[in-house]
Amino acid sequence: MHRLLRTFTALTALAAIGLTAGCSADSGSKGKERTAAEAGATTGAAEKAPQSAFWVDPESAAARQVKQWEQEGRTQDADALKRISEQPMAVWPAGDDPAPDIKAAVDGAAQSERTAVLVAYNIPHRDCGQHSAGGAHSSDFYRQWIDTFAGAIGDKSAVVILEPDAIAHIVDGCTPAEYHAERTSLLSEAIERLKRQPRVKVYLDAGNPGWIDQADKLTEPLTQAGIARADGFSLNVSNFQSDETIKAYGRSLSGTVGGKHFVMDTSRNGKGPLAGDREDAWCNPPGRGLGTPPTDKTGEALLDAVLWIKRPGDSDGPCRGGPAAGQWWPDYALGLARNAKAA
């Protein structure tokens, strides 16, 4: 992602709320998140979050850390970290073959009659060569990767967040102009392919209000990228903007793209963004806290769901003493949990 406060690391229920139309301040969603391979049926933590329509990974890094700390006698820390482990979080499939992680997530979700939240994050020239650089090495490989991604979902229920930061990096100029047409074409094709799966909702990422401050600057690239065929757009992935700021921005942007709905990431926005220079605020900012827990009961006509897309505790990158982007950082996770937004 870039530097604007971003970071990287039950369909029935969804339909009931109308989930049908709907990283980074400088950028947004750095860091590949922990995968879900070997995470089978939902048990334990998942059973403690019946209020959510979304799947809880019983083998997340947070869940494993809780078990370790309990064994070590760090019971207070373990209890605090349950504020993360017992909530549903998105799965970011890793590597050239996304199928194992996706199948583990959608199968686990199906067994608990919930919906998996997945992130497709492999666009060519990803993150402008910054902490989460990488992505598919060619357009053809990306098409193959998306086809595998979609195929692995099959007829299961899933929400897909499509390519955090990809559109915002077009707008802010971080992605070179010669790649813009390729990118919007690939995103459009990805939406078309994912929507061939019968129970998939697709939200094309649109950055965050602290990054692209004028929402209408996103309108043209979102349109070119096929937002009309998506269920909507996602906001604040891996970022720290407040709930009300995101909602206002989402309503404004929706008005420029045909009334599309949106989802928002509240995983780490409980204390809002770090004050000061935006160039320094997106990467592992201190003193942040967990935000509003995931839910599909939003009370907002255009807001389909509040999600934890960034997995709290996964590093934004090697800044402020953190590990590589997407790596689990238990001390940072514990800080987020202790600073969690009051219910």
Side-chain angles (χ1 to χ4, degrees):
M1 318 265 131
H2 189 33
R3 287 190 180 73
L4 268 178
L5 277 51
R6 61 16 171 15
T7 69
F8 177 49
T9 114
L11 184 64
T12 300
L14 297 180
I17 62 160
L19 195 67
T20 57
C23 295
S24 117
D26 227 54
S27 165
S29 345
K30 287 222 178 249
K32 271 217 176 186
E33 316 303 336
R34 193 192 109 16
T35 65
E38 302 179 9
T42 304
T43 58
E47 296 173 354
K48 298 178 183 179
Q51 75 280 7
S52 176
F54 306 109
W55 177 66
V56 178
D57 180 359
E59 294 296 331
S60 69
R64 290 184 282 114
Q65 191 71 62
V66 166
K67 293 177 184 177
Q68 180 182 328
W69 283 348
E70 287 177 337
Q71 292 170 355
E72 295 172 352
R74 295 178 59 177
T75 54
Q76 288 186 333
D77 291 344
D79 286 345
L81 202 61
K82 288 177 182 178
R83 294 172 182 167
I84 296 176
S85 68
E86 295 179 356
Q87 293 295 341
M89 297 175 281
V91 170
W92 302 59
D96 289 343
D97 181 8
D101 294 327
I102 292 173
K103 288 180 179 178
V106 298
D107 288 349
Q111 290 179 40
S112 58
E113 298 185 344
R114 297 187 186 178
T115 294
V117 180
L118 309 170
V119 181
Y121 188 57
N122 201 36
I123 199 77
H125 318 294
R126 190 180 67 197
D127 201 29
C128 313
Q130 299 179 90
H131 290 324
S132 296
H137 56 77
S138 70
S139 294
D140 286 343
F141 185 83
Y142 184 73
R143 293 184 181 99
Q144 174 186 327
W145 188 85
I146 282 290
D147 185 59
T148 301
F149 190 112
I153 298 172
D155 63 357
K156 302 296 197 305
S157 174
V159 169
V160 177
I161 308 302
L162 183 59
E163 297 299 341
D165 298 353
I167 291 293
H169 273 314
I170 288 177
V171 175
D172 76 359
C174 187
T175 297
E178 59 264 33
Y179 300 137
H180 290 186
E182 171 196 58
R183 175 162 293 186
T184 54
S185 178
L186 289 175
L187 291 170
S188 180
E189 292 175 38
I191 292 169
E192 188 278 329
R193 176 62 189 90
L194 289 163
K195 289 302 296 178
R196 281 160 47 192
Q197 305 310 123
R199 303 175 68 200
V200 169
K201 301 294 181 182
V202 181
Y203 295 85
L204 179 58
D205 190 64
N208 68 73
W211 184 0
I212 308 299
D213 54 7
Q214 294 178 260
D216 59 1
K217 290 183 178 179
L218 294 157
T219 305
E220 183 176 355
L222 284 172
T223 301
Q224 293 173 345
I227 189 67
R229 297 193 306 281
D231 294 276
F233 54 90
S234 58
L235 294 173
N236 203 50
V237 173
S238 299
N239 211 252
F240 305 86
Q241 305 301 302
S242 71
D243 287 8
E244 293 310 312
T245 297
I246 303 165
K247 291 175 185 178
Y249 189 85
R251 290 189 290 266
S252 177
L253 180 56
S254 173
T256 76
V257 289
K260 285 293 182 180
H261 288 204
F262 63 98
V263 296
M264 66 183 195
D265 184 359
T266 61
S267 58
R268 306 184 302 176
N269 75 341
K271 298 292 185 180
L274 184 68
D277 186 1
R278 292 186 304 179
E279 289 290 316
D280 189 48
W282 63 266
C283 193
N284 301 324
R288 302 309 91 195
L290 302 174
T292 303
T295 181
D296 56 357
K297 309 290 192 295
T298 71
E300 298 274 343
L302 291 172
L303 178 60
D304 286 344
V306 170
L307 303 172
W308 283 8
I309 300 170
K310 171 73 177 185
R311 297 171 74 89
D314 283 0
S315 176
D316 297 325
C319 51
R320 295 189 170 96
Q327 297 298 305
W328 172 246
W329 188 2
D331 289 342
Y332 194 80
L334 185 59
L336 292 171
R338 286 174 172 166
N339 291 327
K341 180 179 179 180

